[in-house]
Amino acid sequence: MKIAEMFCSIQGEGTLVGVPSLFLRASGCNLRCVWCDTPYASWRPEGQHMTVDEIVGYVAEHATGYVVLTGGEPMIMPDVVPLTEKIRELGQHITIETAGTVFSAVACDLMSISPKLSNSTPRGPEAESWTATHERLRLQPDVLRRLMADYDYQLKFVVSTTDDLPEIQALLEELEAERTRVLLMPEGTSPDVLRERAQWLVEICKREGFRYSPRLHIDIYGDRRGV
């Protein structure tokens, strides 16, 4: 499978925020989010091809107890199932960060599902070849239901404006999701933007009973790779 980067950091998002973790970033994605903060794993995928044993060897050498398989979209990667099974044999807690568009019977302790809202769809001439494909693929309710049924999960939504809330509410009603598993996270790649959006997003979380997720790695390191 193609790997864009592997590094140790702290988990910056979700229910395990702050936990020292080993990140494995798969390169390649079936979506093209307009605000994607890792274009080197989606819009312009880069990296090197590695075998399962090579990746597992890296995990064994740098193990923190927590492994995060992210992307891109790790669930579309060849050998993702045997990779997760071998990582589990090392006694690691496995989080998989996915858009929830594809199902694979992976070994996973926390399925971190980030369904893509309409705010993610690329528009304009430069993105014309991807607009229809992204819009068709970005929400797969049957896949989301299966992931939620088969794994311990969190639903993490990237929120750009207050106009995103009705779309989130409608999807949660369709999925019959537990609100305690829902996290709202501000869209942005700078501390200033995240801080501004946090002011109103936290109030929505308080009112609706959702959890707020920061982007702690941005606050600490800024918008750069390998953190």
Side-chain angles (χ1 to χ4, degrees), residues 39-137:
Y40 53 91
S42 59
W43 282 95
R44 300 180 296 276
E46 59 185 65
Q48 60 179 322
H49 291 279
M50 300 181 67
T51 66
V52 168
D53 287 342
E54 287 173 332
I55 299 170
V56 172
Y58 181 90
V59 173
E61 184 177 354
H62 298 87
T64 67
Y66 289 81
V67 172
V68 181
L69 187 55
T70 185
E73 175 51 76
M75 295 288 272
I76 67 172
M77 297 298 142
D79 297 327
V80 66
V81 172
L83 174 62
T84 57
E85 291 172 344
K86 289 194 173 186
I87 292 174
R88 172 162 283 174
E89 290 174 3
L90 296 176
Q92 301 296 294
H93 178 286
I94 302 170
T95 297
I96 296 182
E97 297 187 341
T98 177
T101 61
V102 176
F103 183 89
S104 293
V106 293
C108 179
D109 299 288
L110 176 61
M111 190 65 70
S112 182
I113 312 168
S114 183
K116 299 307 181 240
L117 304 175
S118 58
N119 66 28
S120 69
T121 302
R123 312 283 182 184
E126 69 284 355
E128 185 176 358
S129 63
W130 270 102
T131 302
T133 299
H134 181 96
E135 190 63 22
R136 174 172 55 84
L137 293 177

Side-chain angles (χ1 to χ4, degrees), residues 3-220:
I3 299 295
E5 57 185 351
M6 301 187 292
F7 58 92
C8 294
S9 186
I10 50 96
Q11 175 58 271
E13 304 171 356
T15 56
L16 293 177
V17 65
V19 174
S21 303
L22 179 61
F23 288 80
L24 311 176
R25 187 179 304 283
S27 188
C29 190
N30 58 343
L31 301 178
R32 292 295 186 274
C33 296
V34 67
W35 38 251
C36 178
D37 61 352
T38 55
Y40 53 91
S42 59
W43 282 95
R44 300 180 296 276
E46 59 185 65
Q48 60 179 322
H49 291 279
M50 300 181 67
T51 66
V52 168
D53 287 342
E54 287 173 332
I55 299 170
V56 172
Y58 181 90
V59 173
E61 184 177 354
H62 298 87
T64 67
Y66 289 81
V67 172
V68 181
L69 187 55
T70 185
E73 175 51 76
M75 295 288 272
I76 67 172
M77 297 298 142
D79 297 327
V80 66
V81 172
L83 174 62
T84 57
E85 291 172 344
K86 289 194 173 186
I87 292 174
R88 172 162 283 174
E89 290 174 3
L90 296 176
Q92 301 296 294
H93 178 286
I94 302 170
T95 297
I96 296 182
E97 297 187 341
T98 177
T101 61
V102 176
F103 183 89
S104 293
V106 293
C108 179
D109 299 288
L110 176 61
M111 190 65 70
S112 182
I113 312 168
S114 183
K116 299 307 181 240
L117 304 175
S118 58
N119 66 28
S120 69
T121 302
R123 312 283 182 184
E126 69 284 355
E128 185 176 358
S129 63
W130 270 102
T131 302
T133 299
H134 181 96
E135 190 63 22
R136 174 172 55 84
L137 293 177
R138 67 179 176 82
L139 283 182
Q140 301 295 323
D142 289 342
V143 175
L144 293 172
R145 290 189 188 93
R146 187 171 181 189
L147 292 171
M148 292 163 60
D150 288 4
Y151 297 98
D152 186 21
Y153 72 91
Q154 61 185 17
L155 288 173
K156 186 175 61 179
F157 291 94
V158 177
V159 182
S160 297
T161 74
T162 55
D163 292 339
D164 295 329
L165 189 60
E167 194 175 342
I168 294 170
Q169 299 276 28
L171 181 59
L172 295 179
E173 184 175 344
E174 181 180 358
L175 298 176
E176 299 181 342
E178 300 175 30
R179 290 199 165 219
T180 56
R181 294 179 181 266
V182 176
L183 299 100
L184 304 188
M185 183 176 71
E187 186 269 317
T189 55
S190 78
D192 288 344
V193 170
L194 294 175
R195 191 175 303 111
E196 184 278 324
R197 289 177 173 163
Q199 300 304 308
W200 50 262
L201 190 54
V202 165
E203 296 306 315
I204 290 174
C205 290
K206 289 161 59 177
R207 185 181 74 234
E208 301 294 336
F210 300 136
R211 296 180 68 160
Y212 173 80
S213 174
R215 305 197 72 205
L216 186 59
H217 54 298
I218 299 292
D219 290 335
I220 296 172

